[in-house]
Amino acid sequence: MDLVVGASSEAVKSLTEKLGSLLAQEYTLIAGVRDDIQYFNDELASMQAFLNKLKRRDVDHDEQRQDWMKQVREVAYDIEDCVDDVGHRLGGEPRGSGTLVSLRRAWYLLTTLYQRRCIAAEIGNLKLRAQHVSERRTRYGVENLHGDGGGGSSGIGANVPRDRLAPLPRLIGTMEPVGMDAAINELKDWFSKGKESIQQRYLAIVGFGGLGKTTLAMALYRKFGDEFDCRAFVLASQKFHLPTVLRSLVKQFHEKQADTSEDALHGIQGWGDETLKTQLLKQLKSKRYLILIDDIWSVSAWENVRDSLPKSDKGSCVVLTTRFNSVAEACRRQQGHVHKLKQLDLDSSYNLFLQTISANDLCPPRSINDSIIMKICGGLPLAIVVVAGLIASNMKSKIDQTLDQHLVEVEEALSAELGNNLSTEGVAQIINHCYKNLPPDLKTCLLYLSTFPKGRSIRRKHLIRRWIAEGFITEEHGKTAEEVAEDSLNELIGRNLIRPINNSSNGKVKSCQIHDMVLQYIVSKASDENFITIIGGHWQTPFPSYKVRRLSVHKSDRQETEMVERMKLSHVRSLTVLESFSALHSTMPKFQILQVLDLDGCKDLSHSRQLKKICNMYQLKYLGLRRTDIDKIPKKIGRLEFLEVLDIRETNVRKLPNSFARLQRMTHLLAGNKSKRTALTLTEEITKIAALQTLSGIEISGSSTLEEDREQSPATSAEDRDNTAVHGPHKEASKVDLPKQLRPLEALEKLTNLKKLAIYRLVMFQAKDDELLLSAIEHLSSCSLKFLAIDDSFTGFLDSSLSSSQAPPEHLYTLELSGKLSKLPGWIDRLHNLEKLTLSLTSLNTHTFEVLRSLPELFSLTFSLHAENDGSKVFNIVSNALKIVHKNTLESRGKIFVLDGGFEKLKLLRFMAPVLPALNFLEGAMPKLQRLELRFRTVECVYGLENLESLQQVFLTVSSQAPENAKEMVSQIKELASMIREAKNSPNPSVEIDEYNELSKE
């Protein structure tokens, strides 16, 4: 019951700020109401002071205190709902002086009399509730706290800044699982025999929770997966749903299948079992496949999956993980192989503990009491990493204690509860101990992760923006809300309660996951505290006994729809819906005070009126519509005056309505589709929002386009537009000076708070347009801009204008330039803060590497060629680009050489294009490079991998259209890597191979 301290305190803190704002507003209220509001303000301020005192106490709160804190939280939420309602219902009161204003004010007072009386009655009732809650604290002795507070780790960090250095940029996934070498070697023979078999083969990995079943299964999946024609990974879980499993398999195999398109899976959400089985049969016919099914809970679930898969005579393999011996035995009865996973031995436990501590940028001494590690954690990997995370955090807070002293503290705290035989229940107790040691604000942030379903990849920026919109994170200690949220996420990752799964190109965590046992724990905790209500999740949770405050709908079947309709939803402040919005159609009018609405991936919005109803949710701060099927935003979007984040990426929205300019609190506008290079048109309305910090996925039209719109001249033919996009327009100034309101490009430089600007398309640009865009970039770079991405659509802007800038963007951390870039900008070596650089493949030659190796902070370097999936246009752009690449290669005498020296911090190098030139790494080249990624249809050759002394991983992603010689090159790279490993007696570099469908619309 620890959450209530943090959640109650955050609820009261948010409310006291709103009450102060309400008192400052001159609303005409019924007599006495303003005194009641002042009472709220004073009483809740006292409550907050008391709650802050509880935060600092490292004690287990008794039932009376827990119940009182719940009551504080609930009454604070209800008062906040009422305050928000006042602002909405009475916000239109006329202001000013004069006869006309007096008449309007009199009319306003008359027409709002009933509303003001209702508000007065509600405030009066809430005042009584607040008085009763206050009196209860004294009546039942809740205020009696002994001691002067302070001592525990939960007190540390509650009210002091966690002023710790941000983690260094790093690559995720470069380490092999600890202590599983024997198991991998044992199962290697099983996979090898499968090559000669014609029968379908089954492997069950069994063991209780926290033992590392999924870790082992994924290691096998990566190690042997490229030996199969195709492969897929799917999660089963406790609440097994066969159509969901089959749908996931169909989608994954579709993505890797040649000669297919996205349209082939149209309506897949409505397909039944038999249709899905038929589709799987078509996809896997005559193929040797590998399927990994994680976390099967019952024999019936296993048999349903097994019987749904096509029978193969190519030696296909199905691997499953399970906690239950009965499932493993059912697999064995089908001539399957069972591997019973064991706990780690003493040495492996010790090594995993050290590895985890070291990952927190600590350098512990080797002399650690390993017997205590074994006693606490029992050789269970999950227990080891969460305990190591807790101790690493404590070591940074209590620097006067040794690591062994921290270990003894944890051992003493857990020994009475765990005993000697650690099991799944014991792991849950360890998780509970680690949770109790979190500061209250971090408990709130962690519990919020129960919103997301099991196995979901959670994007870092997505999570941070939602935390802020929920009010969990605010500016403090001189840091912005985003920086405080980053610190909180890094702290949870450092404690290993959240697991990072991949990184962005700048070395920051890109997305993370939460282990299913940790998730199960926080789902139960969030349900107990009425923090989040989950419908259709992987675990059964009781029907909420309180008003629902935050709702997450994972499924929208009939049962879930009926549950939602029975709930009291008028107090919901946060709504997350996955897959389908159908369960909420009839309840939409009830959501009147929503602050966060996330419909990411819902495919049933385009033909409904629900989107228009969203415009009535006047308190919205976060609106997530990513990957939905919408094609326009309602005209009344301007009503959402508090909206801060609008995410319409990967939708068909191409233009925003005029009312968008009224959203003056908007800080993040996320649009467009990066892989398809589709974008949102930059309009004057967007440039009027001065608060914007992120403007991503836009298309900028040149003056000639605006001229045509203004004169209503016939549209340019598709052929002319394609030629313009490929060869670039004729560079001459516009003959007509357009009115300023028609020139959003001129107004772009007004967005001086922009930190990120991503331009996906330039259309019909002329010389004057180039000058305007360059001027805007130079001006914004002198203000706040840290991230700049431009795809010039082969108009020539990069070559002719940006490259010759006299005031280049020297303060950037990230720069992405795509399109026609035949040579590097002359100023690029002046970007001394640059961490991430993406360049068009057209700039690739030996001289490029000579220039870039002097950049002191460069962490990742990417060369890519984007081509839209648009018929002849693709051919023209690729053909044009490859001519430039060929010319650059000839100037390098047939090969691209990477010379020795420089690149002191470069760890990631990527090449992504249909055709890659010959690459040659000379001795001493890129001494810190850890990962090399190649994505291609064909590649001439890759030499000198043995000269990359720090290389750990090579990722090869090959087109489904690749010719045989490309596949031979992949085999050669694998053989070379194997020879390097043998020569160095090292597991590095490993090689991972995957396939992409070049023709599908990704």
Side-chain angles (χ1 to χ4, degrees):
M1 291 284 188
D2 301 88
L3 163 71
V4 284
V5 181
S8 301
S9 178
E10 292 299 328
V12 174
K13 179 181 176 182
S14 170
L15 176 54
T16 52
E17 292 172 355
K18 288 191 176 184
L19 285 170
S21 175
L22 180 62
L23 286 170
Q25 302 292 325
E26 296 181 357
Y27 295 125
T28 303
L29 299 170
I30 300 297
V33 169
R34 191 166 292 276
D35 292 337
D36 290 343
I37 294 174
Q38 184 64 59
Y39 170 83
F40 287 154
N41 202 32
D42 297 340
E43 185 63 27
L44 289 167
S46 299
M47 288 182 179
Q48 186 180 15
F50 183 75
L51 287 167
N52 285 336
K53 189 177 180 182
L54 291 181
K55 276 186 180 184
R56 294 190 291 271
R57 302 305 177 102
D58 186 26
V59 295
D60 289 325
H61 303 295
D62 60 31
E63 291 182 6
Q64 287 181 333
R65 193 172 296 126
Q66 291 167 5
D67 185 63
W68 179 78
M69 288 186 288
K70 269 188 181 180
Q71 293 175 36
V72 170
R73 181 192 62 204
E74 292 301 319
V75 75
Y77 278 141
D78 286 344
I79 296 172
E80 186 173 9
D81 293 348
C82 181
V83 168
D84 289 339
D85 200 36
V86 170
H88 174 63
R89 292 162 70 177
L90 303 182
E93 185 172 353
R95 302 294 178 190
S97 59
T99 305
L100 185 59
V101 171
S102 298
L103 290 172
R104 287 178 177 172
R105 182 175 173 81
W107 177 252
Y108 168 83
L109 293 176
L110 180 63
T111 55
T112 60
L113 179 61
Y114 176 74
Q115 291 182 351
R116 287 182 287 122
R117 286 192 178 278
C118 290
I119 290 171
E122 187 174 353
I123 288 177
N125 291 333
L126 288 169
K127 179 184 178 181
L128 287 175
R129 278 183 60 192
Q131 288 173 335
H132 292 160
V133 170
S134 181
E135 291 166 1
R136 251 180 233 114
R137 184 179 68 184
T138 306
R139 190 187 311 151
Y140 295 111
V142 173
E143 61 189 359
N144 298 327
L145 286 173
H146 303 288
D148 52 7
S153 58
S154 61
I156 294 174
N159 286 310
V160 298
R162 288 188 293 277
D163 189 16
R164 298 174 181 170
L165 294 174
L168 296 172
R170 64 183 66 187
L171 298 177
I172 296 167
T174 56
M175 294 180 292
E176 290 294 318
V178 174
M180 294 190 176
D181 294 344
I184 292 173
N185 288 332
E186 176 188 332
L187 294 171
K188 180 180 180 180
D189 293 338
W190 184 84
F191 278 95
S192 299
K193 292 176 182 177
K195 294 179 181 179
E196 304 164 3
S197 172
I198 62 171
Q199 293 182 342
Q200 195 152 307
R201 295 161 56 79
Y202 304 106
L203 167 65
I205 301 173
V206 61
F208 54 82
L211 202 53
K213 301 182 297 297
T214 303
T215 301
L216 173 60
M218 289 304 299
L220 296 169
Y221 185 80
R222 291 191 299 268
K223 191 175 186 68
F224 303 110
D226 62 291
E227 298 176 2
F228 295 80
D229 298 326
C230 53
R231 54 180 162 165
F233 162 80
V234 67
L235 181 67
S237 80
Q238 184 176 2
K239 290 179 71 174
F240 176 76
H241 189 237
L242 181 61
T244 300
V245 171
L246 297 180
R247 196 176 295 124
S248 176
L249 291 174
V250 168
K251 288 180 178 178
Q252 291 181 64
F253 286 127
H254 171 80
E255 289 173 1
K256 310 295 173 61
Q257 195 172 5
D259 303 320
T260 59
S261 68
E262 193 177 63
D263 296 337
L265 298 185
H266 180 71
I268 188 173
Q269 291 301 125
W271 291 3
D273 293 1
E274 295 305 317
T275 306
L276 290 166
K277 292 176 186 179
T278 302
Q279 184 67 22
L280 264 182
L281 181 61
K282 291 179 182 177
Q283 291 175 327
L284 301 180
K285 187 177 181 180
S286 303
K287 289 186 177 181
R288 182 171 184 254
Y289 60 81
L290 169 64
I291 293 177
L292 169 56
I293 307 163
D294 189 33
D295 201 19
I296 298 234
W297 278 65
S298 68
V299 173
S300 61
W302 160 240
E303 290 176 345
N304 280 334
V305 173
R306 183 199 65 206
D307 295 341
S308 300
L309 297 177
K311 296 299 179 282
S312 168
D313 58 359
K314 303 289 184 181
S316 295
C317 296
V318 179
V319 179
L320 65 108
T321 69
T322 182
R323 300 182 187 186
F324 304 99
N325 288 321
S326 58
V327 176
E329 287 304 314
C331 177
R332 192 196 301 273
R333 287 195 294 270
Q334 296 292 321
Q335 287 75 50
H337 179 71
V338 174
H339 179 83
K340 191 166 185 178
L341 199 57
K342 302 175 182 176
Q343 288 113 312
L344 299 180
D345 58 25
L346 183 64
D347 288 341
S348 295
S349 299
Y350 181 78
N351 290 334
L352 179 57
F353 184 86
L354 274 182
Q355 185 186 90
T356 307
I357 291 285
S358 302
N360 276 272
D361 300 321
L362 296 171
C363 299
R366 295 291 298 180
S367 55
I368 300 175
N369 192 333
D370 50 9
S371 62
I372 296 184
I373 298 173
M374 201 66 180
K375 183 178 180 181
I376 297 173
C377 306
L380 298 182
L382 178 60
I384 292 169
V385 297
V386 295
V387 167
L390 171 63
I391 289 175
S393 179
N394 289 343
M395 287 177 67
K396 293 176 181 178
S397 300
K398 303 176 183 177
I399 57 176
D400 57 326
Q401 291 186 3
T402 66
L403 193 152
D404 271 349
Q405 288 173 322
H406 286 295
L407 272 171
V408 170
E409 280 187 2
V410 175
E411 191 271 332
E412 289 175 350
L414 289 171
S415 58
E417 301 175 22
L418 294 179
N420 295 322
N421 298 317
L422 197 58
S423 63
T424 300
E425 291 74 20
V427 176
Q429 290 171 346
I430 289 177
I431 294 170
N432 180 58
H433 178 76
C434 294
Y435 172 82
K436 287 169 64 177
N437 276 271
L438 288 172
D441 55 342
L442 281 185
K443 289 177 181 175
T444 304
C445 289
L446 178 63
L447 289 189
Y448 192 67
L449 290 166
S450 62
T451 300
F452 304 100
K454 180 178 176 181
R456 170 64 64 95
S457 172
I458 305 167
R459 298 185 298 276
R460 173 179 61 92
K461 290 184 179 179
H462 181 207
L463 178 61
I464 282 174
R465 288 170 184 147
R466 286 190 52 166
W467 276 347
I468 294 171
E470 292 277 7
F472 303 151
I473 304 288
T474 56
E475 297 179 2
E476 58 182 45
H477 313 301
K479 291 186 174 183
T480 65
E482 286 80 4
E483 290 170 338
V484 175
E486 291 270 8
D487 289 345
S488 298
L489 182 61
N490 290 333
E491 179 76 11
L492 291 174
I493 290 173
R495 290 172 179 256
N496 293 309
L497 295 170
I498 298 177
R499 180 175 67 92
I501 54 176
N502 57 37
N503 56 270
S504 297
S505 301
N506 59 6
K508 286 187 175 182
V509 172
K510 183 176 183 179
S511 55
C512 54
Q513 268 183 344
I514 185 163
H515 191 281
D516 59 349
M517 289 197 68
V518 179
L519 181 59
Q520 186 174 5
Y521 173 85
I522 65 172
V523 164
S524 174
K525 200 80 170 173
S527 177
D528 289 345
E529 300 296 347
N530 193 35
F531 184 62
I532 292 175
T533 301
I534 300 167
I535 300 298
H538 289 285
W539 294 282
Q540 295 285 356
T541 53
F543 194 82
S545 57
Y546 293 91
K547 299 168 185 173
V548 176
R549 302 293 181 181
R550 296 179 183 86
L551 179 63
S552 183
V553 182
H554 295 181
K555 284 172 58 181
S556 294
D557 293 342
R558 180 178 178 181
Q559 180 181 356
E560 287 74 28
T561 301
E562 291 175 352
M563 287 185 67
V564 171
E565 289 175 346
R566 288 164 48 206
M567 291 180 177
K568 188 171 183 179
L569 302 174
S570 57
H571 293 265
V572 174
R573 290 187 163 268
S574 173
L575 174 60
T576 303
V577 184
L578 307 174
E579 295 184 2
S580 173
F581 198 64
S582 59
L584 281 300
H585 282 183
S586 62
T587 58
M588 279 295 286
K590 299 179 182 179
F591 298 103
Q592 292 301 312
I593 61 168
L594 271 183
Q595 293 184 346
V596 173
L597 177 59
D598 195 344
L599 307 179
D600 189 341
C602 291
K603 297 298 185 184
D604 47 7
L605 286 174
S606 62
H607 301 295
S608 70
R609 299 178 181 176
Q610 309 307 325
L611 206 56
K612 293 182 180 179
K613 294 178 182 178
I614 290 173
C615 296
N616 295 323
M617 299 174 180
Y618 56 91
Q619 289 290 329
L620 268 187
K621 294 181 179 179
Y622 181 103
L623 178 55
L625 300 171
R626 185 175 186 175
R627 297 188 301 117
T628 60
D629 54 352
I630 62 172
D631 54 13
K632 63 180 179 180
I633 297 293
K635 295 178 181 179
K636 295 181 180 179
I637 186 76
R639 291 181 176 181
L640 305 179
E641 58 180 296
F642 296 101
L643 196 62
E644 297 174 0
V645 179
L646 177 61
D647 189 349
I648 50 174
R649 287 174 290 182
E650 299 176 62
T651 67
N652 293 319
V653 176
R654 299 291 174 264
K655 194 171 182 179
L656 295 173
N658 294 339
S659 65
F660 187 79
R662 294 164 55 188
L663 306 181
Q664 288 300 308
R665 299 174 188 246
M666 180 75 64
T667 53
H668 302 288
L669 175 55
L670 310 163
N673 188 317
K674 194 170 185 178
S675 62
K676 296 181 182 179
R677 245 41 190 181
T678 56
L680 178 74
T681 301
L682 179 69
T683 59
E684 185 199 8
E685 287 71 32
I686 295 174
T687 63
K688 289 180 179 179
I689 304 178
L692 271 180
Q693 296 179 18
T694 302
L695 179 54
S696 179
I698 61 168
E699 171 187 294
I700 302 179
S701 298
S703 56
S704 60
T705 307
L706 294 173
E707 261 184 57
E708 290 173 5
D709 290 343
R710 181 185 173 202
E711 298 171 2
Q712 297 182 346
S713 60
T716 306
S717 70
E719 182 177 351
D720 290 341
R721 290 181 182 272
D722 285 353
N723 289 335
T724 301
V726 174
H727 302 292
H730 181 60
K731 298 286 183 179
E732 58 179 55
S734 172
K735 297 178 181 179
V736 179
D737 287 331
L738 297 170
K740 194 164 187 178
Q741 63 268 24
L742 292 179
R743 297 306 311 276
L745 184 51
E746 287 183 338
L748 183 61
E749 62 182 28
K750 294 180 181 178
L751 302 178
T752 54
N753 288 307
L754 269 189
K755 296 180 180 179
K756 177 177 180 177
L757 174 61
I759 303 170
Y760 286 179
R761 287 174 60 89
L762 301 180
V763 180
M764 304 294 284
F765 257 45
Q766 296 186 0
K768 185 177 181 180
D769 304 314
D770 283 359
E771 294 172 9
L772 289 172
L773 180 56
L774 180 61
S775 174
I777 290 171
E778 291 176 344
H779 178 69
L780 295 175
S781 299
S782 68
C783 300
S784 305
L785 199 65
K786 295 292 184 287
F787 181 113
L788 176 63
I790 304 176
D791 188 330
D792 74 351
S793 309
F794 273 75
T795 60
F797 169 76
L798 299 181
D799 256 353
S800 63
S801 296
L802 188 64
S803 293
S804 59
S805 173
Q806 298 303 306
E810 295 185 14
H811 304 294
L812 293 179
Y813 290 105
T814 298
L815 177 63
E816 299 181 6
L817 303 177
S818 302
K820 185 180 180 182
L821 187 67
S822 58
K823 60 181 180 181
L824 287 179
W827 41 261
I828 203 163
D829 58 348
R830 292 156 58 182
L831 306 184
H832 298 302
N833 297 317
L834 198 66
E835 298 172 347
K836 172 184 174 182
L837 177 60
T838 298
L839 296 171
S840 173
L841 192 70
T842 56
S843 63
L844 180 61
N845 54 42
T846 299
H847 176 69
T848 300
F849 291 102
E850 292 178 8
V851 174
L852 298 180
R853 62 180 175 176
S854 64
L855 293 176
E857 298 296 325
L858 192 62
F859 179 87
S860 75
L861 176 58
T862 300
F863 291 92
S864 68
L865 176 63
H866 291 287
E868 299 164 8
N869 193 5
D870 192 16
S872 62
K873 191 171 180 180
V874 174
F875 177 80
N876 288 333
I877 291 178
V878 172
S879 176
N880 238 282
L882 293 182
K883 287 178 183 176
I884 302 174
V885 173
H886 183 64
K887 175 177 176 291
N888 293 341
T889 305
L890 289 178
E891 292 174 357
S892 297
R893 287 177 285 186
K895 293 179 182 177
I896 307 297
F897 290 92
V898 183
L899 307 178
D900 64 325
F903 293 112
E904 292 301 320
K905 292 190 177 180
L906 187 74
K907 294 186 178 181
L908 173 61
L909 178 63
R910 302 192 297 186
F911 298 89
M912 300 185 295
V915 180
L916 294 181
L919 304 171
N920 198 322
F921 300 94
L922 301 185
E923 187 174 355
M926 298 182 171
K928 300 295 177 65
L929 188 72
Q930 294 181 0
R931 185 181 299 172
L932 175 64
E933 297 182 11
L934 306 177
R935 178 184 171 101
F936 56 87
R937 186 194 307 156
T938 62
V939 58
E940 290 190 34
C941 55
V942 179
Y943 297 114
L945 289 184
E946 67 277 7
N947 294 326
L948 299 173
E949 56 189 56
S950 300
L951 188 65
Q952 296 180 2
Q953 289 178 310
V954 179
F955 283 88
L956 305 175
T957 308
V958 187
S959 168
S960 56
Q961 308 294 312
E964 284 302 317
N965 60 349
K967 297 176 181 178
E968 291 173 6
M969 180 57 62
V970 169
S971 299
Q972 292 178 21
I973 293 174
K974 282 187 65 177
E975 291 175 9
L976 176 59
S978 178
M979 293 170 59
I980 296 171
R981 290 196 296 269
E982 290 179 7
K984 294 167 61 176
N985 192 25
S986 166
N988 298 322
S990 62
V991 178
E992 290 191 27
I993 302 169
D994 205 351
E995 187 177 76
Y996 72 97
N997 181 4
E998 197 173 320
L999 297 182
S1000 68
K1001 297 178 182 179
E1002 299 177 348

